Amino acid sequence: MNEEDAEEGAPVGRRIVLGMLGLGAAGVAVGASLQDRVSQALAPVGTIQNVLPAAGGFRYYSVTPSVDRRTAAAYRLRVGGLVARPRTFRMADLARLRQTALTRDFQCVTGWRVADVRWAGVALPDLLDAVGVSPRARAVRFTSFDGVYTESLTLEQARRRDVLVATQMEGKPVTHDHGGPTRLYVAPMYGYKSLKWLDGIELTEEVEPGYWEKRGYDIDAWVGRSNGRDDVPT
Ligand SMILES: Nc1nc2c(c(=O)[nH]1)N[C@H]1C(S)=C(S)[C@@H](COP(=O)(O)O)O[C@H]1N2
Ligand SMILES: [Mo]
């Protein structure tokens, strides 16, 4: 725990709070704690699985009841849309690109946080360079092979070196429960940006709200000053 952890205190960022308050019309109880309100707001709109509560601090989330496993050998990542060279990457192709490692906290808006998680994989800007981004592109959309979850970033956010197509977590391949063979890891933002079971990356003209963002979460998911935003790998 560092000083910033203590200082940050409230588990949910201010903008998220305001976003969640916007769900009042959906039947959020008055007077409940913020975390209760968040849980109540989420309960009707998705199945949140909590398979191994707080084991090692992580909770395992999926908005779908089950996701078919994909082996590393069968895995394909399609990158297309507004790019010069649309391409499908296998795990071996990803391994041949420059590898980036970083250690950061993982924080969900519902209040839990895991400190100092070691991630590694391909920094998104390196993957984007490999396909050549069209000058018309302004945003990046991510899809999951769970068939349901989506997320988006602006192109500027997607070019940060602390946004990874993560293939490793804590020194091992990303497990199925954590979204393997590859998941997105957006270090400076709340966990819901870090889409699991990544299988598609599409360059687009506009940001399209993701799964939770269509259900009330703020599209702007920055975790304040808490996650080393000025300490970006180069
Ligand atoms: N495909 C998919 N990705 C997802 C989610 C999900 O339900 N489905 N939940 C998000 C949320 S809200 C969080 S906090 C993290 C949780 O990651 P974990 O399950 O590895 O702990 O995944 C994010 N990515
Ligand atoms: Mo989350």
Side-chain angles (χ1 to χ4, degrees), residues 130-189:
V131 294
V133 174
S134 148
R136 280 194 298 138
R138 290 283 171 274
V140 187
R141 180 170 184 267
F142 306 91
T143 51
S144 168
F145 61 81
D146 70 9
V148 175
Y149 205 86
T150 59
E151 256 305 335
S152 282
L153 293 172
T154 65
L155 185 56
E156 191 190 357
Q157 293 164 352
R159 288 210 191 272
R160 292 176 58 105
R161 296 208 56 84
D162 57 358
V163 176
L164 301 186
V165 171
T167 55
Q168 300 236 315
M169 186 183 164
E170 301 291 20
K172 300 191 190 97
V174 178
T175 61
H176 174 75
D177 283 344
H178 280 303
T182 79
R183 78 178 293 167
L184 198 62
Y185 177 58
V186 183
M189 298 188 183

Tab-separated table of all heavy atoms in Angstrom, residues 130-189:
chain	number	residue	atom	x	y	z
A	130	ALA	N	1.977	-2.673	-36.778
A	130	ALA	CA	2.142	-3.866	-37.627
A	130	ALA	C	1.077	-3.935	-38.725
A	130	ALA	O	1.311	-4.554	-39.766
A	130	ALA	CB	2.107	-5.128	-36.766
A	131	VAL	N	-0.084	-3.323	-38.501
A	131	VAL	CA	-1.144	-3.372	-39.519
A	131	VAL	C	-1.296	-2.048	-40.269
A	131	VAL	O	-1.943	-2.011	-41.319
A	131	VAL	CB	-2.514	-3.773	-38.908
A	131	VAL	CG1	-2.460	-5.198	-38.394
A	131	VAL	CG2	-2.947	-2.803	-37.826
A	132	GLY	N	-0.713	-0.967	-39.741
A	132	GLY	CA	-0.777	0.323	-40.417
A	132	GLY	C	-2.146	0.971	-40.292
A	132	GLY	O	-3.100	0.602	-40.976
A	133	VAL	N	-2.246	1.936	-39.384
A	133	VAL	CA	-3.540	2.587	-39.131
A	133	VAL	C	-3.845	3.599	-40.227
A	133	VAL	O	-2.999	4.414	-40.593
A	133	VAL	CB	-3.516	3.286	-37.752
A	133	VAL	CG1	-4.792	4.091	-37.512
A	133	VAL	CG2	-3.321	2.250	-36.654
A	134	SER	N	-5.046	3.549	-40.769
A	134	SER	CA	-5.488	4.499	-41.784
A	134	SER	C	-5.644	5.894	-41.170
A	134	SER	O	-6.030	6.034	-40.011
A	134	SER	CB	-6.832	4.036	-42.362
A	134	SER	OG	-7.615	5.143	-42.742
A	135	PRO	N	-5.350	6.947	-41.952
A	135	PRO	CA	-5.509	8.305	-41.420
A	135	PRO	C	-6.951	8.624	-41.019
A	135	PRO	O	-7.183	9.532	-40.236
A	135	PRO	CB	-5.080	9.208	-42.585
A	135	PRO	CG	-4.494	8.328	-43.632
A	135	PRO	CD	-4.834	6.915	-43.330
A	136	ARG	N	-7.906	7.866	-41.525
A	136	ARG	CA	-9.313	8.119	-41.163
A	136	ARG	C	-9.677	7.566	-39.795
A	136	ARG	O	-10.707	7.921	-39.221
A	136	ARG	CB	-10.236	7.494	-42.211
A	136	ARG	CG	-10.387	8.339	-43.465
A	136	ARG	CD	-11.553	7.832	-44.289
A	136	ARG	NE	-11.328	6.466	-44.719
A	136	ARG	CZ	-12.258	5.498	-44.719
A	136	ARG	NH1	-13.479	5.759	-44.287
A	136	ARG	NH2	-11.971	4.288	-45.136
A	137	ALA	N	-8.882	6.664	-39.259
A	137	ALA	CA	-9.235	6.005	-37.989
A	137	ALA	C	-9.108	6.966	-36.818
A	137	ALA	O	-8.154	7.739	-36.730
A	137	ALA	CB	-8.334	4.797	-37.776
A	138	ARG	N	-10.081	6.907	-35.919
A	138	ARG	CA	-10.082	7.752	-34.727
A	138	ARG	C	-10.265	6.939	-33.451
A	138	ARG	O	-10.106	7.452	-32.357
A	138	ARG	CB	-11.237	8.773	-34.795
A	138	ARG	CG	-11.064	9.855	-35.835
A	138	ARG	CD	-10.080	10.922	-35.355
A	138	ARG	NE	-9.742	11.842	-36.417
A	138	ARG	CZ	-8.766	11.637	-37.313
A	138	ARG	NH1	-8.019	10.548	-37.248
A	138	ARG	NH2	-8.526	12.510	-38.267
A	139	ALA	N	-10.661	5.690	-33.601
A	139	ALA	CA	-10.993	4.879	-32.423
A	139	ALA	C	-10.700	3.414	-32.703
A	139	ALA	O	-10.465	3.016	-33.849
A	139	ALA	CB	-12.470	5.072	-32.063
A	140	VAL	N	-10.696	2.630	-31.621
A	140	VAL	CA	-10.410	1.204	-31.734
A	140	VAL	C	-11.487	0.453	-30.955
A	140	VAL	O	-11.799	0.794	-29.812
A	140	VAL	CB	-9.019	0.867	-31.159
A	140	VAL	CG1	-8.669	-0.579	-31.443
A	140	VAL	CG2	-7.951	1.790	-31.742
A	141	ARG	N	-12.044	-0.562	-31.600
A	141	ARG	CA	-13.105	-1.343	-30.971
A	141	ARG	C	-12.603	-2.768	-30.747
A	141	ARG	O	-11.955	-3.341	-31.612
A	141	ARG	CB	-14.325	-1.355	-31.890
A	141	ARG	CG	-15.502	-2.124	-31.367
A	141	ARG	CD	-16.729	-1.859	-32.241
A	141	ARG	NE	-17.880	-2.513	-31.685
A	141	ARG	CZ	-18.274	-3.738	-32.050
A	141	ARG	NH1	-17.614	-4.404	-32.979
A	141	ARG	NH2	-19.340	-4.277	-31.485
A	142	PHE	N	-12.921	-3.312	-29.583
A	142	PHE	CA	-12.438	-4.640	-29.204
A	142	PHE	C	-13.625	-5.579	-29.022
A	142	PHE	O	-14.636	-5.196	-28.428
A	142	PHE	CB	-11.663	-4.557	-27.888
A	142	PHE	CG	-10.551	-3.546	-27.928
A	142	PHE	CD1	-10.775	-2.233	-27.532
A	142	PHE	CD2	-9.294	-3.900	-28.402
A	142	PHE	CE1	-9.763	-1.284	-27.596
A	142	PHE	CE2	-8.275	-2.960	-28.470
A	142	PHE	CZ	-8.514	-1.647	-28.068
A	143	THR	N	-13.486	-6.796	-29.522
A	143	THR	CA	-14.539	-7.787	-29.310
A	143	THR	C	-13.960	-9.019	-28.625
A	143	THR	O	-12.757	-9.303	-28.707
A	143	THR	CB	-15.202	-8.201	-30.634
A	143	THR	OG1	-14.186	-8.578	-31.563
A	143	THR	CG2	-16.022	-7.052	-31.218
A	144	SER	N	-14.864	-9.740	-27.959
A	144	SER	CA	-14.493	-10.915	-27.170
A	144	SER	C	-15.106	-12.154	-27.801
A	144	SER	O	-16.218	-12.093	-28.335
A	144	SER	CB	-15.055	-10.733	-25.751
A	144	SER	OG	-14.978	-11.942	-25.031
A	145	PHE	N	-14.412	-13.290	-27.680
A	145	PHE	CA	-15.039	-14.506	-28.200
A	145	PHE	C	-16.074	-15.069	-27.229
A	145	PHE	O	-16.614	-16.151	-27.475
A	145	PHE	CB	-14.007	-15.539	-28.687
A	145	PHE	CG	-13.030	-16.071	-27.680
A	145	PHE	CD1	-13.398	-17.082	-26.798
A	145	PHE	CD2	-11.727	-15.592	-27.642
A	145	PHE	CE1	-12.490	-17.601	-25.894
A	145	PHE	CE2	-10.806	-16.112	-26.740
A	145	PHE	CZ	-11.185	-17.115	-25.864
A	146	ASP	N	-16.417	-14.323	-26.176
A	146	ASP	CA	-17.634	-14.675	-25.428
A	146	ASP	C	-18.881	-14.277	-26.227
A	146	ASP	O	-20.004	-14.617	-25.865
A	146	ASP	CB	-17.644	-14.056	-24.017
A	146	ASP	CG	-17.818	-12.534	-24.006
A	146	ASP	OD1	-18.100	-11.916	-25.048
A	146	ASP	OD2	-17.653	-11.941	-22.902
A	147	GLY	N	-18.664	-13.504	-27.295
A	147	GLY	CA	-19.762	-13.160	-28.204
A	147	GLY	C	-20.591	-11.968	-27.780
A	147	GLY	O	-21.508	-11.561	-28.496
A	148	VAL	N	-20.276	-11.373	-26.611
A	148	VAL	CA	-21.149	-10.338	-26.051
A	148	VAL	C	-20.395	-9.059	-25.663
A	148	VAL	O	-20.816	-7.961	-25.992
A	148	VAL	CB	-21.890	-10.884	-24.805
A	148	VAL	CG1	-22.713	-9.796	-24.138
A	148	VAL	CG2	-22.783	-12.064	-25.199
A	149	TYR	N	-19.282	-9.243	-24.955
A	149	TYR	CA	-18.605	-8.082	-24.371
A	149	TYR	C	-17.857	-7.298	-25.442
A	149	TYR	O	-17.247	-7.886	-26.335
A	149	TYR	CB	-17.608	-8.559	-23.318
A	149	TYR	CG	-17.269	-7.544	-22.251
A	149	TYR	CD1	-18.059	-7.419	-21.125
A	149	TYR	CD2	-16.148	-6.729	-22.364
A	149	TYR	CE1	-17.742	-6.511	-20.125
A	149	TYR	CE2	-15.820	-5.815	-21.370
A	149	TYR	CZ	-16.623	-5.714	-20.251
A	149	TYR	OH	-16.305	-4.814	-19.269
A	150	THR	N	-17.918	-5.979	-25.356
A	150	THR	CA	-17.156	-5.120	-26.265
A	150	THR	C	-16.565	-3.967	-25.461
A	150	THR	O	-17.036	-3.643	-24.368
A	150	THR	CB	-18.040	-4.514	-27.384
A	150	THR	OG1	-19.087	-3.752	-26.777
A	150	THR	CG2	-18.636	-5.595	-28.271
A	151	GLU	N	-15.548	-3.363	-26.010
A	151	GLU	CA	-14.985	-2.137	-25.433
A	151	GLU	C	-14.415	-1.299	-26.568
A	151	GLU	O	-14.211	-1.798	-27.675
A	151	GLU	CB	-13.884	-2.452	-24.413
A	151	GLU	CG	-14.313	-2.279	-22.967
A	151	GLU	CD	-14.883	-0.898	-22.664
A	151	GLU	OE1	-14.545	0.071	-23.364
A	151	GLU	OE2	-15.663	-0.788	-21.708
A	152	SER	N	-14.179	-0.018	-26.282
A	152	SER	CA	-13.558	0.874	-27.257
A	152	SER	C	-12.591	1.819	-26.564
A	152	SER	O	-12.746	2.112	-25.375
A	152	SER	CB	-14.612	1.742	-27.955
A	152	SER	OG	-15.293	1.043	-28.945
A	153	LEU	N	-11.607	2.270	-27.306
A	153	LEU	CA	-10.718	3.341	-26.851
A	153	LEU	C	-10.606	4.352	-27.982
A	153	LEU	O	-10.787	3.999	-29.154
A	153	LEU	CB	-9.319	2.781	-26.569
A	153	LEU	CG	-9.154	1.809	-25.405
A	153	LEU	CD1	-7.748	1.217	-25.418
A	153	LEU	CD2	-9.438	2.490	-24.070
A	154	THR	N	-10.280	5.585	-27.644
A	154	THR	CA	-9.901	6.520	-28.699
A	154	THR	C	-8.550	6.049	-29.242
A	154	THR	O	-7.796	5.337	-28.554
A	154	THR	CB	-9.741	7.957	-28.168
A	154	THR	OG1	-8.631	7.970	-27.257
A	154	THR	CG2	-11.005	8.439	-27.462
A	155	LEU	N	-8.224	6.469	-30.465
A	155	LEU	CA	-6.935	6.063	-31.039
A	155	LEU	C	-5.787	6.572	-30.165
A	155	LEU	O	-4.790	5.875	-29.958
A	155	LEU	CB	-6.820	6.588	-32.472
A	155	LEU	CG	-5.585	6.139	-33.244
A	155	LEU	CD1	-5.480	4.614	-33.284
A	155	LEU	CD2	-5.610	6.708	-34.660
A	156	GLU	N	-5.952	7.768	-29.626
A	156	GLU	CA	-4.915	8.337	-28.763
A	156	GLU	C	-4.682	7.452	-27.528
A	156	GLU	O	-3.542	7.164	-27.161
A	156	GLU	CB	-5.332	9.747	-28.348
A	156	GLU	CG	-4.233	10.524	-27.675
A	156	GLU	CD	-4.740	11.823	-27.050
A	156	GLU	OE1	-5.936	12.135	-27.192
A	156	GLU	OE2	-3.930	12.492	-26.400
A	157	GLN	N	-5.759	7.002	-26.906
A	157	GLN	CA	-5.617	6.107	-25.750
A	157	GLN	C	-4.980	4.784	-26.172
A	157	GLN	O	-4.124	4.229	-25.476
A	157	GLN	CB	-6.989	5.838	-25.121
A	157	GLN	CG	-7.615	7.066	-24.481
A	157	GLN	CD	-9.107	6.894	-24.210
A	157	GLN	OE1	-9.720	5.909	-24.631
A	157	GLN	NE2	-9.695	7.867	-23.524
A	158	ALA	N	-5.393	4.290	-27.347
A	158	ALA	CA	-4.907	2.990	-27.820
A	158	ALA	C	-3.429	3.029	-28.161
A	158	ALA	O	-2.769	1.989	-28.229
A	158	ALA	CB	-5.715	2.543	-29.036
A	159	ARG	N	-2.890	4.223	-28.361
A	159	ARG	CA	-1.468	4.343	-28.693
A	159	ARG	C	-0.588	4.450	-27.464
A	159	ARG	O	0.631	4.573	-27.559
A	159	ARG	CB	-1.245	5.558	-29.591
A	159	ARG	CG	-1.758	5.364	-31.013
A	159	ARG	CD	-0.909	6.176	-31.964
A	159	ARG	NE	-1.439	6.264	-33.303
A	159	ARG	CZ	-1.180	5.367	-34.267
A	159	ARG	NH1	-0.442	4.307	-34.010
A	159	ARG	NH2	-1.690	5.536	-35.463
A	160	ARG	N	-1.173	4.379	-26.284
A	160	ARG	CA	-0.364	4.404	-25.060
A	160	ARG	C	0.407	3.098	-24.904
A	160	ARG	O	-0.139	2.027	-25.156
A	160	ARG	CB	-1.273	4.589	-23.837
A	160	ARG	CG	-1.927	5.955	-23.763
A	160	ARG	CD	-2.859	5.973	-22.570
A	160	ARG	NE	-2.127	5.683	-21.343
A	160	ARG	CZ	-1.804	6.600	-20.434
A	160	ARG	NH1	-2.153	7.852	-20.597
A	160	ARG	NH2	-1.143	6.251	-19.353
A	161	ARG	N	1.606	3.204	-24.400
A	161	ARG	CA	2.417	2.000	-24.254
A	161	ARG	C	2.042	1.192	-23.010
A	161	ARG	O	2.572	0.099	-22.800
A	161	ARG	CB	3.913	2.360	-24.232
A	161	ARG	CG	4.382	2.985	-25.548
A	161	ARG	CD	5.846	2.722	-25.817
A	161	ARG	NE	6.155	1.307	-25.812
A	161	ARG	CZ	5.992	0.498	-26.875
A	161	ARG	NH1	5.544	0.961	-28.016
A	161	ARG	NH2	6.282	-0.776	-26.767
A	162	ASP	N	1.139	1.723	-22.188
A	162	ASP	CA	0.665	0.933	-21.048
A	162	ASP	C	-0.713	0.318	-21.327
A	162	ASP	O	-1.450	-0.027	-20.409
A	162	ASP	CB	0.669	1.741	-19.746
A	162	ASP	CG	-0.150	3.018	-19.823
A	162	ASP	OD1	-0.696	3.318	-20.909
A	162	ASP	OD2	-0.242	3.713	-18.796
A	163	VAL	N	-1.016	0.170	-22.605
A	163	VAL	CA	-2.191	-0.612	-23.024
A	163	VAL	C	-1.664	-1.842	-23.760
A	163	VAL	O	-0.978	-1.714	-24.773
A	163	VAL	CB	-3.120	0.227	-23.931
A	163	VAL	CG1	-4.283	-0.614	-24.429
A	163	VAL	CG2	-3.615	1.468	-23.187
A	164	LEU	N	-1.981	-3.007	-23.228
A	164	LEU	CA	-1.382	-4.246	-23.754
A	164	LEU	C	-2.417	-5.211	-24.300
A	164	LEU	O	-3.522	-5.311	-23.758
A	164	LEU	CB	-0.647	-5.013	-22.642
A	164	LEU	CG	0.487	-4.384	-21.864
A	164	LEU	CD1	1.106	-5.443	-20.941
A	164	LEU	CD2	1.543	-3.796	-22.783
A	165	VAL	N	-2.023	-5.930	-25.349
A	165	VAL	CA	-2.670	-7.203	-25.652
A	165	VAL	C	-1.884	-8.199	-24.805
A	165	VAL	O	-0.764	-8.591	-25.151
A	165	VAL	CB	-2.590	-7.529	-27.154
A	165	VAL	CG1	-3.063	-8.955	-27.420
A	165	VAL	CG2	-3.434	-6.534	-27.944
A	166	ALA	N	-2.441	-8.527	-23.653
A	166	ALA	CA	-1.691	-9.290	-22.655
A	166	ALA	C	-1.754	-10.778	-22.962
A	166	ALA	O	-2.839	-11.339	-23.161
A	166	ALA	CB	-2.244	-9.014	-21.253
A	167	THR	N	-0.605	-11.403	-22.989
A	167	THR	CA	-0.527	-12.856	-23.169
A	167	THR	C	-0.040	-13.524	-21.883
A	167	THR	O	-0.179	-14.728	-21.729
A	167	THR	CB	0.440	-13.210	-24.316
A	167	THR	OG1	1.711	-12.595	-24.059
A	167	THR	CG2	-0.083	-12.699	-25.658
A	168	GLN	N	0.517	-12.727	-20.975
A	168	GLN	CA	1.042	-13.260	-19.726
A	168	GLN	C	0.575	-12.431	-18.552
A	168	GLN	O	0.447	-11.209	-18.641
A	168	GLN	CB	2.572	-13.211	-19.733
A	168	GLN	CG	3.189	-14.023	-20.854
A	168	GLN	CD	4.169	-15.050	-20.330
A	168	GLN	OE1	4.998	-14.742	-19.466
A	168	GLN	NE2	4.066	-16.265	-20.810
A	169	MET	N	0.334	-13.133	-17.454
A	169	MET	CA	-0.071	-12.491	-16.210
A	169	MET	C	0.669	-13.214	-15.100
A	169	MET	O	0.656	-14.452	-15.069
A	169	MET	CB	-1.589	-12.683	-16.067
A	169	MET	CG	-2.215	-11.980	-14.933
A	169	MET	SD	-3.974	-12.445	-14.954
A	169	MET	CE	-4.404	-11.914	-13.321
A	170	GLU	N	1.327	-12.467	-14.256
A	170	GLU	CA	2.130	-13.058	-13.169
A	170	GLU	C	3.098	-14.132	-13.701
A	170	GLU	O	3.252	-15.203	-13.117
A	170	GLU	CB	1.230	-13.645	-12.067
A	170	GLU	CG	0.284	-12.641	-11.426
A	170	GLU	CD	0.982	-11.578	-10.556
A	170	GLU	OE1	2.208	-11.353	-10.718
A	170	GLU	OE2	0.282	-10.956	-9.729
A	171	GLY	N	3.707	-13.851	-14.841
A	171	GLY	CA	4.750	-14.726	-15.372
A	171	GLY	C	4.264	-15.994	-16.063
A	171	GLY	O	5.075	-16.831	-16.454
A	172	LYS	N	2.940	-16.133	-16.224
A	172	LYS	CA	2.402	-17.340	-16.874
A	172	LYS	C	1.405	-16.932	-17.944
A	172	LYS	O	0.905	-15.809	-17.929
A	172	LYS	CB	1.675	-18.209	-15.846
A	172	LYS	CG	2.548	-18.672	-14.712
A	172	LYS	CD	1.811	-19.746	-13.901
A	172	LYS	CE	2.550	-20.050	-12.613
A	172	LYS	NZ	1.997	-19.314	-11.465
A	173	PRO	N	1.094	-17.847	-18.863
A	173	PRO	CA	0.060	-17.516	-19.852
A	173	PRO	C	-1.224	-17.089	-19.134
A	173	PRO	O	-1.560	-17.625	-18.077
A	173	PRO	CB	-0.153	-18.841	-20.597
A	173	PRO	CG	1.126	-19.597	-20.419
A	173	PRO	CD	1.657	-19.189	-19.066
A	174	VAL	N	-1.930	-16.121	-19.703
A	174	VAL	CA	-3.201	-15.680	-19.108
A	174	VAL	C	-4.161	-16.876	-19.099
A	174	VAL	O	-4.374	-17.516	-20.127
A	174	VAL	CB	-3.809	-14.511	-19.913
A	174	VAL	CG1	-5.150	-14.100	-19.316
A	174	VAL	CG2	-2.860	-13.318	-19.949
A	175	THR	N	-4.700	-17.192	-17.918
A	175	THR	CA	-5.589	-18.356	-17.806
A	175	THR	C	-6.935	-18.071	-18.464
A	175	THR	O	-7.289	-16.915	-18.714
A	175	THR	CB	-5.850	-18.699	-16.325
A	175	THR	OG1	-6.497	-17.568	-15.726
A	175	THR	CG2	-4.557	-19.018	-15.586
A	176	HIS	N	-7.680	-19.136	-18.697
A	176	HIS	CA	-9.019	-18.979	-19.276
A	176	HIS	C	-9.879	-18.040	-18.421
A	176	HIS	O	-10.514	-17.120	-18.946
A	176	HIS	CB	-9.696	-20.339	-19.411
A	176	HIS	CG	-11.117	-20.224	-19.869
A	176	HIS	ND1	-11.449	-19.930	-21.180
A	176	HIS	CD2	-12.286	-20.308	-19.208
A	176	HIS	CE1	-12.760	-19.860	-21.296
A	176	HIS	NE2	-13.296	-20.083	-20.116
A	177	ASP	N	-9.884	-18.239	-17.104
A	177	ASP	CA	-10.738	-17.409	-16.245
A	177	ASP	C	-10.369	-15.932	-16.328
A	177	ASP	O	-11.238	-15.067	-16.185
A	177	ASP	CB	-10.627	-17.859	-14.783
A	177	ASP	CG	-11.414	-19.127	-14.519
A	177	ASP	OD1	-12.266	-19.486	-15.359
A	177	ASP	OD2	-11.161	-19.766	-13.474
A	178	HIS	N	-9.118	-15.655	-16.547
A	178	HIS	CA	-8.687	-14.254	-16.644
A	178	HIS	C	-8.742	-13.741	-18.079
A	178	HIS	O	-8.262	-12.637	-18.350
A	178	HIS	CB	-7.282	-14.087	-16.077
A	178	HIS	CG	-7.257	-14.017	-14.573
A	178	HIS	ND1	-7.969	-13.081	-13.851
A	178	HIS	CD2	-6.620	-14.783	-13.654
A	178	HIS	CE1	-7.757	-13.274	-12.558
A	178	HIS	NE2	-6.953	-14.294	-12.412
A	179	GLY	N	-9.318	-14.527	-18.998
A	179	GLY	CA	-9.554	-14.003	-20.340
A	179	GLY	C	-8.577	-14.479	-21.396
A	179	GLY	O	-8.510	-13.901	-22.482
A	180	GLY	N	-7.781	-15.530	-21.072
A	180	GLY	CA	-6.816	-16.041	-22.033
A	180	GLY	C	-7.471	-16.763	-23.196
A	180	GLY	O	-8.664	-17.034	-23.142
A	181	PRO	N	-6.690	-17.030	-24.264
A	181	PRO	CA	-5.236	-16.821	-24.411
A	181	PRO	C	-4.772	-15.355	-24.380
A	181	PRO	O	-3.666	-15.107	-23.938
A	181	PRO	CB	-4.909	-17.438	-25.772
A	181	PRO	CG	-6.009	-18.438	-26.014
A	181	PRO	CD	-7.234	-17.852	-25.372
A	182	THR	N	-5.572	-14.411	-24.854
A	182	THR	CA	-5.149	-13.015	-24.703
A	182	THR	C	-6.314	-12.162	-24.241
A	182	THR	O	-7.463	-12.397	-24.607
A	182	THR	CB	-4.588	-12.394	-26.002
A	182	THR	OG1	-5.664	-12.015	-26.844
A	182	THR	CG2	-3.628	-13.322	-26.718
A	183	ARG	N	-5.994	-11.182	-23.437
A	183	ARG	CA	-6.982	-10.194	-23.015
A	183	ARG	C	-6.361	-8.818	-23.195
A	183	ARG	O	-5.141	-8.676	-23.288
A	183	ARG	CB	-7.369	-10.377	-21.561
A	183	ARG	CG	-6.322	-9.835	-20.594
A	183	ARG	CD	-6.716	-9.978	-19.149
A	183	ARG	NE	-7.857	-9.146	-18.784
A	183	ARG	CZ	-8.519	-9.289	-17.651
A	183	ARG	NH1	-8.177	-10.224	-16.782
A	183	ARG	NH2	-9.528	-8.501	-17.363
A	184	LEU	N	-7.213	-7.827	-23.204
A	184	LEU	CA	-6.718	-6.467	-23.196
A	184	LEU	C	-6.333	-6.119	-21.754
A	184	LEU	O	-6.989	-6.568	-20.815
A	184	LEU	CB	-7.841	-5.560	-23.694
A	184	LEU	CG	-7.469	-4.174	-24.168
A	184	LEU	CD1	-6.537	-4.260	-25.370
A	184	LEU	CD2	-8.736	-3.407	-24.535
A	185	TYR	N	-5.263	-5.346	-21.571
A	185	TYR	CA	-4.992	-4.777	-20.260
A	185	TYR	C	-4.743	-3.281	-20.424
A	185	TYR	O	-3.725	-2.879	-20.991
A	185	TYR	CB	-3.807	-5.457	-19.557
A	185	TYR	CG	-3.520	-4.776	-18.241
A	185	TYR	CD1	-4.512	-4.684	-17.268
A	185	TYR	CD2	-2.310	-4.161	-17.993
A	185	TYR	CE1	-4.298	-4.009	-16.079
A	185	TYR	CE2	-2.074	-3.490	-16.791
A	185	TYR	CZ	-3.080	-3.418	-15.846
A	185	TYR	OH	-2.871	-2.743	-14.676
A	186	VAL	N	-5.690	-2.493	-19.954
A	186	VAL	CA	-5.613	-1.037	-20.070
A	186	VAL	C	-5.209	-0.510	-18.699
A	186	VAL	O	-6.048	-0.245	-17.837
A	186	VAL	CB	-6.969	-0.444	-20.531
A	186	VAL	CG1	-6.853	1.069	-20.728
A	186	VAL	CG2	-7.433	-1.109	-21.830
A	187	ALA	N	-3.898	-0.384	-18.480
A	187	ALA	CA	-3.369	-0.113	-17.141
A	187	ALA	C	-3.960	1.130	-16.473
A	187	ALA	O	-4.260	1.088	-15.287
A	187	ALA	CB	-1.848	-0.022	-17.191
A	188	PRO	N	-4.117	2.249	-17.180
A	188	PRO	CA	-4.537	3.459	-16.464
A	188	PRO	C	-6.042	3.561	-16.231
A	188	PRO	O	-6.499	4.565	-15.703
A	188	PRO	CB	-4.064	4.582	-17.393
A	188	PRO	CG	-4.127	3.985	-18.754
A	188	PRO	CD	-3.799	2.526	-18.591
A	189	MET	N	-6.797	2.558	-16.613
A	189	MET	CA	-8.258	2.670	-16.505
A	189	MET	C	-8.859	1.553	-15.662
A	189	MET	O	-8.216	0.541	-15.404
A	189	MET	CB	-8.882	2.643	-17.903
A	189	MET	CG	-8.441	3.812	-18.763
A	189	MET	SD	-9.357	3.891	-20.306
A	189	MET	CE	-8.528	5.287	-21.077
